Amino acid sequence: MTFMPSRSHLLSTGALLLTLLYALQPAHAQPARTPRQLIDNLGVEVRQILETSKPDKTPEDAERAVAAQIMALSQGAPGHLSLTELNEYGRTPLMLAARGGYPLVVQALLADPGVKLRINVRDAEGATAWMEANFAPTLTLAACQPGVLTAERYLLLPPYLRRMAHLLKAQGTAIGAIVRQLEEAGAEAQPEDAKRVWLARCPNATPELRAALADGALMPTLTREAVSRQSAFNKAALENIASVPARPPEGMKFVTGPSGPDEGPISPLLTVHQMNCVRMAHPQVPRTDWTGSILLKAIAQIRDGIVETADIQLIGEPQRPNVVEVFRKAILMALSGYQCPGDHVFEQVFQFKID
């Protein structure tokens, strides 16, 4: 099996240095580290802090440092184009900060008049920053993708759950603070439109949740559903692991987009080597009495630096279902260790050969 070596990127230096840098640059020059890149890297840094037993700083410390750098940029070069630049999915830094659950970064961005002017811009899926904040993806994965609550797919969840638990310690106040900041800055509240966008993004949502959304407020309904489902699954797994579903329903697809209004993809799939991952885990060859060669392709979705969902399909010659399952689990376990800045959809081919 062949893997490219991972590469890491250090965050920019302090706010003072960044201020001096922008003062010396012409207005059209691009900074060494844009707000989008800072936010993308913040996602990975927060994951690393939360998985460290005795970290030397908190997630809030890391967020505060990024917010200071963005504020320095805004003060030194108001309206700088990088403050509102779009990523490959048409998302602004404000959208990324809102969906990442970073109120200090949102506050820093909203201090710039250019960001405020574009506060209601929509991404390629039709979502605004206000909608992204109300989707609360840092807390509501189980609502959007109930299939993750299975023994097989639970392999991907530890990095997500650490972030979810950290936010819930503060009763999810960061999410509510972001919504308030956006509304006070002029964001339009569009709850019905937001529900439509969320349902298009989350086709695996249960019929019961769809019915609840018809009459309920978006964020409370999604958060209540996700936390309730997650708690019930955790309790069942502790009492009797055999009682939880072994795998998602046959044919369920986890990665469907992002897509545009015509339901077509808005960006080509990336390869894993195009994402500058700071950490990639190698799949462990499972113990099995099977011999031969097997090829599988993973199409995975990264949000805020980690792989949250993935579809894995067999390529080439048919294999026994139990053999495919063994290697699929090995791939999922490896993907759970990836740390790749940003939000992406990528594909990666894995080949195993056992003599």
Side-chain angles (χ1 to χ4, degrees), residues 27-343:
H28 65 275
Q30 287 297 312
R33 190 61 59 117
T34 66
R36 177 178 62 81
Q37 291 168 330
L38 287 168
I39 295 167
D40 286 350
N41 280 276
L42 176 60
V44 170
E45 186 178 11
V46 167
R47 308 294 181 177
Q48 293 173 343
I49 292 171
L50 291 175
E51 70 180 13
T52 302
S53 58
K54 294 182 179 180
D56 57 4
K57 58 182 174 181
T58 67
E60 291 75 18
D61 293 332
E63 182 186 348
R64 196 172 294 110
V66 168
Q69 293 176 77
I70 290 175
M71 184 67 75
L73 166 59
S74 177
Q75 292 173 347
H80 197 285
L81 293 178
S82 67
L83 290 162
T84 54
E85 73 169 330
L86 307 181
N87 70 3
E88 63 264 40
Y89 303 122
R91 294 176 184 141
T92 63
L94 184 63
M95 293 176 188
L96 299 178
R99 70 194 256 117
Y102 303 124
L104 297 178
V105 178
V106 169
Q107 183 179 34
L109 287 164
L110 289 174
D112 186 84
V115 173
K116 278 190 176 182
L117 283 174
R118 294 177 56 79
I119 196 171
N120 291 309
V121 70
R122 293 175 180 255
D123 68 11
E125 293 181 301
T128 64
W130 183 89
M131 292 181 191
E132 292 288 359
N134 277 274
F135 295 162
T138 46
L139 302 176
T140 60
L141 178 62
C144 179
Q145 297 284 5
V148 300
L149 299 181
T150 61
E152 179 191 78
R153 295 298 166 141
Y154 213 71
L155 296 171
L156 286 176
L157 283 188
Y160 168 81
L161 292 176
R162 283 191 287 267
R163 175 73 170 144
M164 180 185 188
H166 178 76
L167 290 171
L168 287 177
K169 284 180 182 178
Q171 305 300 316
T173 54
I175 309 300
I178 291 172
V179 174
R180 289 192 298 273
Q181 289 170 352
L182 290 167
E183 291 178 347
E184 289 169 1
E188 295 178 6
Q190 299 175 308
E192 295 308 311
D193 206 12
K195 291 176 185 179
R196 177 188 59 77
V197 174
W198 188 88
L199 288 169
R201 182 181 291 183
C202 300
N204 293 329
T206 65
E208 293 80 9
L209 176 55
R210 291 172 179 271
L213 277 175
D215 299 318
L218 180 62
M219 183 167 56
T221 302
L222 296 180
T223 304
R224 186 165 52 247
E225 169 82 0
V227 173
S228 174
R229 280 185 168 274
Q230 190 72 59
S231 299
F233 180 90
N234 293 347
K235 181 180 179 181
L238 285 173
E239 293 176 352
N240 179 13
I241 189 63
S243 68
V244 304
R247 62 186 64 83
E250 191 69 28
M252 176 175 281
K253 295 291 185 182
F254 288 86
V255 183
T256 58
S259 60
D262 61 354
E263 302 303 324
I266 64 172
S267 179
L269 287 175
L270 300 179
T271 68
V272 72
H273 309 307
Q274 293 174 306
M275 295 190 300
N276 297 321
C277 297
V278 302
R279 191 174 79 187
M280 291 170 56
H282 289 207
Q284 298 297 312
V285 178
R287 293 183 178 181
T288 175
D289 57 3
W290 173 88
T291 59
S293 178
I294 186 170
L295 198 64
L296 298 115
K297 180 172 71 174
I299 298 178
Q301 188 151 13
I302 285 182
R303 191 191 61 76
D304 210 23
I306 61 165
V307 175
E308 282 190 346
T309 56
D311 294 319
I312 301 173
Q313 64 186 67
L314 177 68
I315 301 175
E317 297 181 2
Q319 301 285 349
R320 298 197 310 270
N322 63 319
V323 172
V324 176
E325 180 180 355
V326 165
F327 288 101
R328 186 169 59 239
K329 286 183 177 180
I331 293 171
L332 288 169
M333 180 61 76
L335 292 175
S336 72
Y338 282 29
Q339 292 180 348
C340 309
D343 295 3

